[in-house]
Amino acid sequence: MAGTSLLNLVSLTLGPFGSIWPASLIWAACGWANQGPNAVIALMLFGLGLWVDLLTGGPLGAWAVVALIAHALTMLTARFSVAMAATPRGAATITGLFFLVAAFILSISSGKGFNVLSILVPILSAVLTYAWVAPWFDLSEEEA
């Protein structure tokens, strides 16, 4: 995930639709949601969010907060809806929606405008590719 975030340094964009690179924080927020509340995971998400902030030149801590909010809301949704976790794409879609809402709330609270189009392509590409990267985020211990 940290390596994929380096792609943000390559300035390929689709104009008003933003970066072509996936919002890979969604992968981590979704993939680690099945672990339940865990301080180590929260610290890792926060660190990855800070890393994205540094790479994108965003306000320090903004993407970290967005990742933590999306992660917490995904865990909460998984507790109340087993159907959400039925497929990796379904779980990533829910996390992507929470990611979008959290980014919107954060941008509004900071007094800056929010361009929905510029975040949609990275969210959609992260959701569509999540099924391939989901096994990397499985932290459960397998029995031998």
Side-chain angles (χ1 to χ4, degrees):
M1 202 248 70
T4 306
S5 298
L6 287 172
L7 293 172
N8 286 307
L9 296 175
V10 180
S11 61
L12 291 175
T13 63
L14 298 174
F17 297 104
S19 169
I20 64 171
W21 314 116
S24 52
L25 273 175
I26 291 173
W27 297 340
C30 182
W32 291 330
N34 66 348
Q35 304 300 314
N38 186 322
V40 173
I41 289 174
L43 287 173
M44 289 179 3
L45 272 173
F46 191 78
L48 290 170
L50 290 177
W51 173 247
V52 172
D53 288 334
L54 292 173
L55 291 176
T56 61
L60 198 58
W63 286 118
V65 170
V66 167
L68 288 172
I69 290 171
H71 177 69
L73 290 175
T74 301
M75 282 190 307
L76 186 64
T77 303
R79 279 240 195 281
F80 295 110
S81 172
V82 177
M84 181 221 106
T87 64
R89 185 152 301 145
T93 301
I94 296 295
T95 305
L97 288 172
F98 288 140
F99 194 83
L100 180 65
V101 169
F104 175 73
I105 291 169
L106 190 67
S107 68
I108 295 301
S109 67
S110 68
K112 296 183 179 181
F114 185 70
N115 184 355
V116 175
L117 288 179
S118 69
I119 192 79
L120 277 181
V121 170
I123 287 175
L124 287 174
S125 61
V127 167
L128 293 174
T129 57
Y130 178 71
W132 294 315
V133 298
W136 299 343
F137 294 99
D138 184 12
L139 300 178
S140 60
E141 295 179 16
E142 295 187 28
E143 296 178 20

mmCIF file of all heavy atoms in Angstrom, residues 39-88:
data_model
loop_
_atom_site.group_PDB
_atom_site.id
_atom_site.type_symbol
_atom_site.label_atom_id
_atom_site.label_comp_id
_atom_site.label_asym_id
_atom_site.label_seq_id
_atom_site.Cartn_x
_atom_site.Cartn_y
_atom_site.Cartn_z
ATOM 1 N N ALA A 39 -5.446 -1.414 18.215
ATOM 2 C CA ALA A 39 -4.638 -0.190 18.281
ATOM 3 C C ALA A 39 -3.486 -0.217 17.282
ATOM 4 O O ALA A 39 -3.148 0.814 16.699
ATOM 5 C CB ALA A 39 -4.104 0.008 19.692
ATOM 6 N N VAL A 40 -2.896 -1.378 17.051
ATOM 7 C CA VAL A 40 -1.780 -1.473 16.108
ATOM 8 C C VAL A 40 -2.251 -1.152 14.693
ATOM 9 O O VAL A 40 -1.594 -0.416 13.951
ATOM 10 C CB VAL A 40 -1.119 -2.874 16.178
ATOM 11 C CG1 VAL A 40 -0.081 -3.054 15.087
ATOM 12 C CG2 VAL A 40 -0.519 -3.113 17.551
ATOM 13 N N ILE A 41 -3.415 -1.690 14.324
ATOM 14 C CA ILE A 41 -3.967 -1.415 12.997
ATOM 15 C C ILE A 41 -4.300 0.065 12.864
ATOM 16 O O ILE A 41 -4.039 0.676 11.830
ATOM 17 C CB ILE A 41 -5.194 -2.301 12.717
ATOM 18 C CG1 ILE A 41 -4.725 -3.743 12.501
ATOM 19 C CG2 ILE A 41 -5.992 -1.801 11.525
ATOM 20 C CD1 ILE A 41 -5.823 -4.755 12.359
ATOM 21 N N ALA A 42 -4.869 0.655 13.906
ATOM 22 C CA ALA A 42 -5.176 2.087 13.867
ATOM 23 C C ALA A 42 -3.904 2.908 13.676
ATOM 24 O O ALA A 42 -3.878 3.861 12.883
ATOM 25 C CB ALA A 42 -5.895 2.508 15.145
ATOM 26 N N LEU A 43 -2.837 2.548 14.344
ATOM 27 C CA LEU A 43 -1.558 3.258 14.177
ATOM 28 C C LEU A 43 -0.999 3.066 12.775
ATOM 29 O O LEU A 43 -0.458 4.003 12.182
ATOM 30 C CB LEU A 43 -0.547 2.806 15.227
ATOM 31 C CG LEU A 43 -0.792 3.310 16.641
ATOM 32 C CD1 LEU A 43 0.176 2.645 17.621
ATOM 33 C CD2 LEU A 43 -0.651 4.821 16.705
ATOM 34 N N MET A 44 -1.130 1.860 12.249
ATOM 35 C CA MET A 44 -0.639 1.603 10.893
ATOM 36 C C MET A 44 -1.436 2.417 9.874
ATOM 37 O O MET A 44 -0.854 3.014 8.962
ATOM 38 C CB MET A 44 -0.694 0.109 10.570
ATOM 39 C CG MET A 44 0.344 -0.682 11.327
ATOM 40 S SD MET A 44 0.425 -2.495 11.118
ATOM 41 C CE MET A 44 -0.734 -2.954 9.938
ATOM 42 N N LEU A 45 -2.761 2.460 10.027
ATOM 43 C CA LEU A 45 -3.590 3.267 9.124
ATOM 44 C C LEU A 45 -3.252 4.748 9.240
ATOM 45 O O LEU A 45 -3.180 5.457 8.235
ATOM 46 C CB LEU A 45 -5.071 3.060 9.434
ATOM 47 C CG LEU A 45 -5.761 1.919 8.732
ATOM 48 C CD1 LEU A 45 -7.171 1.737 9.273
ATOM 49 C CD2 LEU A 45 -5.787 2.118 7.250
ATOM 50 N N PHE A 46 -3.052 5.197 10.467
ATOM 51 C CA PHE A 46 -2.699 6.598 10.674
ATOM 52 C C PHE A 46 -1.360 6.914 10.004
ATOM 53 O O PHE A 46 -1.225 7.925 9.308
ATOM 54 C CB PHE A 46 -2.644 6.922 12.174
ATOM 55 C CG PHE A 46 -2.537 8.379 12.461
ATOM 56 C CD1 PHE A 46 -3.656 9.197 12.377
ATOM 57 C CD2 PHE A 46 -1.322 8.951 12.803
ATOM 58 C CE1 PHE A 46 -3.562 10.557 12.634
ATOM 59 C CE2 PHE A 46 -1.219 10.303 13.057
ATOM 60 C CZ PHE A 46 -2.336 11.111 12.978
ATOM 61 N N GLY A 47 -0.379 6.023 10.162
ATOM 62 C CA GLY A 47 0.926 6.221 9.528
ATOM 63 C C GLY A 47 0.839 6.215 8.015
ATOM 64 O O GLY A 47 1.459 7.037 7.338
ATOM 65 N N LEU A 48 0.046 5.298 7.463
ATOM 66 C CA LEU A 48 -0.137 5.256 6.009
ATOM 67 C C LEU A 48 -0.841 6.516 5.508
ATOM 68 O O LEU A 48 -0.512 7.039 4.443
ATOM 69 C CB LEU A 48 -0.918 4.008 5.601
ATOM 70 C CG LEU A 48 -0.177 2.684 5.757
ATOM 71 C CD1 LEU A 48 -1.130 1.509 5.562
ATOM 72 C CD2 LEU A 48 0.986 2.599 4.795
ATOM 73 N N GLY A 49 -1.798 7.004 6.286
ATOM 74 C CA GLY A 49 -2.486 8.243 5.922
ATOM 75 C C GLY A 49 -1.535 9.431 5.926
ATOM 76 O O GLY A 49 -1.578 10.281 5.031
ATOM 77 N N LEU A 50 -0.650 9.490 6.923
ATOM 78 C CA LEU A 50 0.353 10.562 6.962
ATOM 79 C C LEU A 50 1.285 10.466 5.752
ATOM 80 O O LEU A 50 1.686 11.492 5.183
ATOM 81 C CB LEU A 50 1.162 10.500 8.256
ATOM 82 C CG LEU A 50 0.422 10.881 9.531
ATOM 83 C CD1 LEU A 50 1.335 10.686 10.744
ATOM 84 C CD2 LEU A 50 -0.076 12.311 9.474
ATOM 85 N N TRP A 51 1.634 9.254 5.377
ATOM 86 C CA TRP A 51 2.486 9.022 4.210
ATOM 87 C C TRP A 51 1.823 9.582 2.946
ATOM 88 O O TRP A 51 2.452 10.278 2.150
ATOM 89 C CB TRP A 51 2.756 7.523 4.083
ATOM 90 C CG TRP A 51 3.471 7.073 2.852
ATOM 91 C CD1 TRP A 51 2.960 6.304 1.860
ATOM 92 C CD2 TRP A 51 4.826 7.350 2.483
ATOM 93 N NE1 TRP A 51 3.915 6.084 0.897
ATOM 94 C CE2 TRP A 51 5.064 6.717 1.252
ATOM 95 C CE3 TRP A 51 5.861 8.072 3.068
ATOM 96 C CZ2 TRP A 51 6.285 6.776 0.604
ATOM 97 C CZ3 TRP A 51 7.088 8.136 2.407
ATOM 98 C CH2 TRP A 51 7.285 7.493 1.196
ATOM 99 N N VAL A 52 0.536 9.309 2.776
ATOM 100 C CA VAL A 52 -0.198 9.830 1.619
ATOM 101 C C VAL A 52 -0.259 11.353 1.676
ATOM 102 O O VAL A 52 -0.120 12.025 0.654
ATOM 103 C CB VAL A 52 -1.606 9.200 1.530
ATOM 104 C CG1 VAL A 52 -2.447 9.869 0.461
ATOM 105 C CG2 VAL A 52 -1.501 7.708 1.254
ATOM 106 N N ASP A 53 -0.447 11.917 2.878
ATOM 107 C CA ASP A 53 -0.451 13.378 3.033
ATOM 108 C C ASP A 53 0.862 13.978 2.563
ATOM 109 O O ASP A 53 0.875 14.991 1.855
ATOM 110 C CB ASP A 53 -0.676 13.773 4.498
ATOM 111 C CG ASP A 53 -2.089 13.518 4.968
ATOM 112 O OD1 ASP A 53 -2.994 13.524 4.118
ATOM 113 O OD2 ASP A 53 -2.274 13.311 6.172
ATOM 114 N N LEU A 54 1.959 13.356 2.955
ATOM 115 C CA LEU A 54 3.271 13.865 2.549
ATOM 116 C C LEU A 54 3.466 13.767 1.043
ATOM 117 O O LEU A 54 4.024 14.675 0.419
ATOM 118 C CB LEU A 54 4.386 13.112 3.282
ATOM 119 C CG LEU A 54 4.477 13.358 4.780
ATOM 120 C CD1 LEU A 54 5.505 12.420 5.406
ATOM 121 C CD2 LEU A 54 4.835 14.810 5.067
ATOM 122 N N LEU A 55 3.014 12.678 0.450
ATOM 123 C CA LEU A 55 3.187 12.484 -0.990
ATOM 124 C C LEU A 55 2.313 13.418 -1.819
ATOM 125 O O LEU A 55 2.723 13.888 -2.873
ATOM 126 C CB LEU A 55 2.873 11.039 -1.376
ATOM 127 C CG LEU A 55 3.857 9.981 -0.894
ATOM 128 C CD1 LEU A 55 3.349 8.598 -1.269
ATOM 129 C CD2 LEU A 55 5.239 10.216 -1.461
ATOM 130 N N THR A 56 1.100 13.664 -1.344
ATOM 131 C CA THR A 56 0.165 14.469 -2.124
ATOM 132 C C THR A 56 0.222 15.952 -1.783
ATOM 133 O O THR A 56 -0.405 16.759 -2.469
ATOM 134 C CB THR A 56 -1.282 13.971 -1.924
ATOM 135 O OG1 THR A 56 -1.623 14.094 -0.535
ATOM 136 C CG2 THR A 56 -1.444 12.541 -2.383
ATOM 137 N N GLY A 57 0.927 16.299 -0.730
ATOM 138 C CA GLY A 57 1.009 17.700 -0.332
ATOM 139 C C GLY A 57 -0.250 18.193 0.363
ATOM 140 O O GLY A 57 -0.470 19.395 0.482
ATOM 141 N N GLY A 58 -1.057 17.255 0.822
ATOM 142 C CA GLY A 58 -2.285 17.621 1.525
ATOM 143 C C GLY A 58 -1.992 18.053 2.952
ATOM 144 O O GLY A 58 -0.861 17.934 3.432
ATOM 145 N N PRO A 59 -3.004 18.546 3.647
ATOM 146 C CA PRO A 59 -2.815 18.928 5.051
ATOM 147 C C PRO A 59 -2.404 17.704 5.871
ATOM 148 O O PRO A 59 -2.995 16.628 5.722
ATOM 149 C CB PRO A 59 -4.188 19.434 5.491
ATOM 150 C CG PRO A 59 -5.018 19.527 4.270
ATOM 151 C CD PRO A 59 -4.352 18.776 3.182
ATOM 152 N N LEU A 60 -1.401 17.858 6.679
ATOM 153 C CA LEU A 60 -0.860 16.740 7.453
ATOM 154 C C LEU A 60 -1.926 16.185 8.405
ATOM 155 O O LEU A 60 -2.471 16.908 9.228
ATOM 156 C CB LEU A 60 0.369 17.189 8.242
ATOM 157 C CG LEU A 60 1.271 16.082 8.755
ATOM 158 C CD1 LEU A 60 1.772 15.221 7.604
ATOM 159 C CD2 LEU A 60 2.445 16.656 9.515
ATOM 160 N N GLY A 61 -2.245 14.937 8.250
ATOM 161 C CA GLY A 61 -3.221 14.257 9.081
ATOM 162 C C GLY A 61 -4.586 14.096 8.435
ATOM 163 O O GLY A 61 -5.423 13.350 8.939
ATOM 164 N N ALA A 62 -4.819 14.771 7.307
ATOM 165 C CA ALA A 62 -6.147 14.725 6.679
ATOM 166 C C ALA A 62 -6.486 13.323 6.193
ATOM 167 O O ALA A 62 -7.540 12.773 6.537
ATOM 168 C CB ALA A 62 -6.227 15.725 5.540
ATOM 169 N N TRP A 63 -5.629 12.716 5.375
ATOM 170 C CA TRP A 63 -5.926 11.381 4.860
ATOM 171 C C TRP A 63 -5.852 10.340 5.964
ATOM 172 O O TRP A 63 -6.534 9.313 5.904
ATOM 173 C CB TRP A 63 -5.016 11.006 3.701
ATOM 174 C CG TRP A 63 -5.379 11.733 2.450
ATOM 175 C CD1 TRP A 63 -4.601 12.616 1.761
ATOM 176 C CD2 TRP A 63 -6.629 11.697 1.753
ATOM 177 N NE1 TRP A 63 -5.292 13.114 0.679
ATOM 178 C CE2 TRP A 63 -6.537 12.570 0.653
ATOM 179 C CE3 TRP A 63 -7.822 11.012 1.949
ATOM 180 C CZ2 TRP A 63 -7.586 12.762 -0.244
ATOM 181 C CZ3 TRP A 63 -8.866 11.211 1.065
ATOM 182 C CH2 TRP A 63 -8.741 12.070 -0.016
ATOM 183 N N ALA A 64 -5.053 10.589 6.981
ATOM 184 C CA ALA A 64 -4.995 9.669 8.119
ATOM 185 C C ALA A 64 -6.342 9.621 8.825
ATOM 186 O O ALA A 64 -6.849 8.544 9.159
ATOM 187 C CB ALA A 64 -3.890 10.102 9.079
ATOM 188 N N VAL A 65 -6.939 10.780 9.033
ATOM 189 C CA VAL A 65 -8.256 10.842 9.678
ATOM 190 C C VAL A 65 -9.314 10.200 8.787
ATOM 191 O O VAL A 65 -10.176 9.453 9.265
ATOM 192 C CB VAL A 65 -8.620 12.305 10.034
ATOM 193 C CG1 VAL A 65 -10.067 12.426 10.465
ATOM 194 C CG2 VAL A 65 -7.686 12.836 11.105
ATOM 195 N N VAL A 66 -9.265 10.467 7.489
ATOM 196 C CA VAL A 66 -10.230 9.873 6.556
ATOM 197 C C VAL A 66 -10.118 8.349 6.595
ATOM 198 O O VAL A 66 -11.139 7.645 6.648
ATOM 199 C CB VAL A 66 -10.008 10.404 5.119
ATOM 200 C CG1 VAL A 66 -10.775 9.588 4.097
ATOM 201 C CG2 VAL A 66 -10.410 11.867 5.040
ATOM 202 N N ALA A 67 -8.905 7.815 6.586
ATOM 203 C CA ALA A 67 -8.714 6.361 6.624
ATOM 204 C C ALA A 67 -9.248 5.766 7.919
ATOM 205 O O ALA A 67 -9.899 4.715 7.901
ATOM 206 C CB ALA A 67 -7.235 6.019 6.458
ATOM 207 N N LEU A 68 -9.000 6.426 9.040
ATOM 208 C CA LEU A 68 -9.478 5.919 10.325
ATOM 209 C C LEU A 68 -11.011 5.950 10.406
ATOM 210 O O LEU A 68 -11.623 5.016 10.927
ATOM 211 C CB LEU A 68 -8.863 6.714 11.477
ATOM 212 C CG LEU A 68 -7.377 6.454 11.721
ATOM 213 C CD1 LEU A 68 -6.828 7.431 12.754
ATOM 214 C CD2 LEU A 68 -7.148 5.020 12.161
ATOM 215 N N ILE A 69 -11.612 7.010 9.899
ATOM 216 C CA ILE A 69 -13.081 7.098 9.909
ATOM 217 C C ILE A 69 -13.674 6.004 9.021
ATOM 218 O O ILE A 69 -14.614 5.306 9.428
ATOM 219 C CB ILE A 69 -13.553 8.495 9.458
ATOM 220 C CG1 ILE A 69 -13.204 9.542 10.520
ATOM 221 C CG2 ILE A 69 -15.053 8.499 9.178
ATOM 222 C CD1 ILE A 69 -13.433 10.976 10.080
ATOM 223 N N ALA A 70 -13.141 5.841 7.811
ATOM 224 C CA ALA A 70 -13.652 4.804 6.902
ATOM 225 C C ALA A 70 -13.473 3.414 7.510
ATOM 226 O O ALA A 70 -14.362 2.564 7.416
ATOM 227 C CB ALA A 70 -12.944 4.892 5.550
ATOM 228 N N HIS A 71 -12.348 3.191 8.150
ATOM 229 C CA HIS A 71 -12.072 1.898 8.798
ATOM 230 C C HIS A 71 -13.070 1.632 9.929
ATOM 231 O O HIS A 71 -13.657 0.551 10.017
ATOM 232 C CB HIS A 71 -10.632 1.906 9.321
ATOM 233 C CG HIS A 71 -10.240 0.678 10.070
ATOM 234 N ND1 HIS A 71 -10.091 -0.545 9.459
ATOM 235 C CD2 HIS A 71 -9.965 0.481 11.378
ATOM 236 C CE1 HIS A 71 -9.736 -1.442 10.361
ATOM 237 N NE2 HIS A 71 -9.664 -0.840 11.536
ATOM 238 N N ALA A 72 -13.275 2.623 10.783
ATOM 239 C CA ALA A 72 -14.189 2.461 11.918
ATOM 240 C C ALA A 72 -15.619 2.224 11.447
ATOM 241 O O ALA A 72 -16.320 1.346 11.973
ATOM 242 C CB ALA A 72 -14.119 3.691 12.822
ATOM 243 N N LEU A 73 -16.051 2.972 10.449
ATOM 244 C CA LEU A 73 -17.414 2.800 9.946
ATOM 245 C C LEU A 73 -17.582 1.464 9.224
ATOM 246 O O LEU A 73 -18.649 0.856 9.283
ATOM 247 C CB LEU A 73 -17.798 3.964 9.035
ATOM 248 C CG LEU A 73 -17.990 5.301 9.752
ATOM 249 C CD1 LEU A 73 -18.238 6.421 8.740
ATOM 250 C CD2 LEU A 73 -19.119 5.231 10.760
ATOM 251 N N THR A 74 -16.537 0.981 8.565
ATOM 252 C CA THR A 74 -16.594 -0.332 7.922
ATOM 253 C C THR A 74 -16.709 -1.430 8.974
ATOM 254 O O THR A 74 -17.488 -2.372 8.813
ATOM 255 C CB THR A 74 -15.366 -0.561 7.032
ATOM 256 O OG1 THR A 74 -15.315 0.461 6.037
ATOM 257 C CG2 THR A 74 -15.417 -1.921 6.351
ATOM 258 N N MET A 75 -15.945 -1.303 10.063
ATOM 259 C CA MET A 75 -16.050 -2.287 11.149
ATOM 260 C C MET A 75 -17.449 -2.274 11.756
ATOM 261 O O MET A 75 -18.028 -3.321 12.029
ATOM 262 C CB MET A 75 -15.030 -1.995 12.252
ATOM 263 C CG MET A 75 -13.633 -2.426 11.935
ATOM 264 S SD MET A 75 -12.520 -2.343 13.344
ATOM 265 C CE MET A 75 -12.713 -0.672 13.913
ATOM 266 N N LEU A 76 -17.990 -1.088 11.963
ATOM 267 C CA LEU A 76 -19.331 -0.958 12.535
ATOM 268 C C LEU A 76 -20.385 -1.574 11.617
ATOM 269 O O LEU A 76 -21.267 -2.314 12.070
ATOM 270 C CB LEU A 76 -19.641 0.516 12.790
ATOM 271 C CG LEU A 76 -20.928 0.828 13.517
ATOM 272 C CD1 LEU A 76 -20.896 0.268 14.935
ATOM 273 C CD2 LEU A 76 -21.158 2.325 13.558
ATOM 274 N N THR A 77 -20.269 -1.325 10.328
ATOM 275 C CA THR A 77 -21.210 -1.888 9.364
ATOM 276 C C THR A 77 -21.098 -3.406 9.320
ATOM 277 O O THR A 77 -22.105 -4.110 9.241
ATOM 278 C CB THR A 77 -20.957 -1.302 7.959
ATOM 279 O OG1 THR A 77 -21.072 0.112 8.040
ATOM 280 C CG2 THR A 77 -21.943 -1.835 6.951
ATOM 281 N N ALA A 78 -19.878 -3.926 9.386
ATOM 282 C CA ALA A 78 -19.668 -5.376 9.348
ATOM 283 C C ALA A 78 -20.295 -6.057 10.566
ATOM 284 O O ALA A 78 -20.750 -7.192 10.478
ATOM 285 C CB ALA A 78 -18.180 -5.687 9.279
ATOM 286 N N ARG A 79 -20.317 -5.362 11.683
ATOM 287 C CA ARG A 79 -20.935 -5.909 12.898
ATOM 288 C C ARG A 79 -22.445 -6.103 12.736
ATOM 289 O O ARG A 79 -23.018 -7.030 13.286
ATOM 290 C CB ARG A 79 -20.702 -4.987 14.073
ATOM 291 C CG ARG A 79 -19.394 -5.098 14.738
ATOM 292 C CD ARG A 79 -19.663 -5.496 16.187
ATOM 293 N NE ARG A 79 -18.554 -5.338 17.081
ATOM 294 C CZ ARG A 79 -17.549 -6.166 17.178
ATOM 295 N NH1 ARG A 79 -17.455 -7.167 16.351
ATOM 296 N NH2 ARG A 79 -16.616 -5.992 18.074
ATOM 297 N N PHE A 80 -23.073 -5.190 11.993
ATOM 298 C CA PHE A 80 -24.523 -5.219 11.873
ATOM 299 C C PHE A 80 -25.027 -5.839 10.583
ATOM 300 O O PHE A 80 -26.210 -6.108 10.450
ATOM 301 C CB PHE A 80 -25.094 -3.796 12.008
ATOM 302 C CG PHE A 80 -24.860 -3.216 13.369
ATOM 303 C CD1 PHE A 80 -23.970 -2.173 13.534
ATOM 304 C CD2 PHE A 80 -25.517 -3.733 14.468
ATOM 305 C CE1 PHE A 80 -23.748 -1.640 14.798
ATOM 306 C CE2 PHE A 80 -25.288 -3.208 15.739
ATOM 307 C CZ PHE A 80 -24.411 -2.158 15.896
ATOM 308 N N SER A 81 -24.136 -6.063 9.632
ATOM 309 C CA SER A 81 -24.565 -6.597 8.345
ATOM 310 C C SER A 81 -23.568 -7.628 7.842
ATOM 311 O O SER A 81 -22.488 -7.281 7.370
ATOM 312 C CB SER A 81 -24.684 -5.458 7.318
ATOM 313 O OG SER A 81 -24.914 -5.987 6.044
ATOM 314 N N VAL A 82 -23.937 -8.888 7.936
ATOM 315 C CA VAL A 82 -23.073 -9.961 7.446
ATOM 316 C C VAL A 82 -22.990 -9.907 5.927
ATOM 317 O O VAL A 82 -21.968 -10.243 5.338
ATOM 318 C CB VAL A 82 -23.607 -11.329 7.915
ATOM 319 C CG1 VAL A 82 -22.777 -12.458 7.358
ATOM 320 C CG2 VAL A 82 -23.646 -11.384 9.427
ATOM 321 N N ALA A 83 -24.033 -9.451 5.275
ATOM 322 C CA ALA A 83 -24.063 -9.389 3.813
ATOM 323 C C ALA A 83 -22.992 -8.464 3.274
ATOM 324 O O ALA A 83 -22.499 -8.647 2.168
ATOM 325 C CB ALA A 83 -25.441 -8.933 3.332
ATOM 326 N N MET A 84 -22.585 -7.449 4.049
ATOM 327 C CA MET A 84 -21.573 -6.510 3.589
ATOM 328 C C MET A 84 -20.248 -7.215 3.287
ATOM 329 O O MET A 84 -19.588 -6.927 2.314
ATOM 330 C CB MET A 84 -21.349 -5.423 4.646
ATOM 331 C CG MET A 84 -20.325 -4.396 4.227
ATOM 332 S SD MET A 84 -19.254 -3.969 5.597
ATOM 333 C CE MET A 84 -17.776 -4.794 5.168
ATOM 334 N N ALA A 85 -19.897 -8.167 4.131
ATOM 335 C CA ALA A 85 -18.612 -8.845 3.978
ATOM 336 C C ALA A 85 -18.711 -10.082 3.085
ATOM 337 O O ALA A 85 -17.780 -10.864 3.029
ATOM 338 C CB ALA A 85 -18.073 -9.230 5.350
ATOM 339 N N ALA A 86 -19.828 -10.246 2.396
ATOM 340 C CA ALA A 86 -20.026 -11.443 1.581
ATOM 341 C C ALA A 86 -19.002 -11.550 0.460
ATOM 342 O O ALA A 86 -18.533 -12.631 0.144
ATOM 343 C CB ALA A 86 -21.436 -11.464 1.011
ATOM 344 N N THR A 87 -18.644 -10.440 -0.154
ATOM 345 C CA THR A 87 -17.649 -10.455 -1.219
ATOM 346 C C THR A 87 -16.628 -9.349 -0.965
ATOM 347 O O THR A 87 -16.961 -8.325 -0.355
ATOM 348 C CB THR A 87 -18.293 -10.204 -2.597
ATOM 349 O OG1 THR A 87 -18.857 -8.890 -2.608
ATOM 350 C CG2 THR A 87 -19.373 -11.229 -2.901
ATOM 351 N N PRO A 88 -15.411 -9.538 -1.419
ATOM 352 C CA PRO A 88 -14.417 -8.466 -1.254
ATOM 353 C C PRO A 88 -14.843 -7.167 -1.933
ATOM 354 O O PRO A 88 -14.658 -6.087 -1.386
ATOM 355 C CB PRO A 88 -13.162 -9.033 -1.917
ATOM 356 C CG PRO A 88 -13.327 -10.504 -1.842
ATOM 357 C CD PRO A 88 -14.810 -10.750 -1.962
#
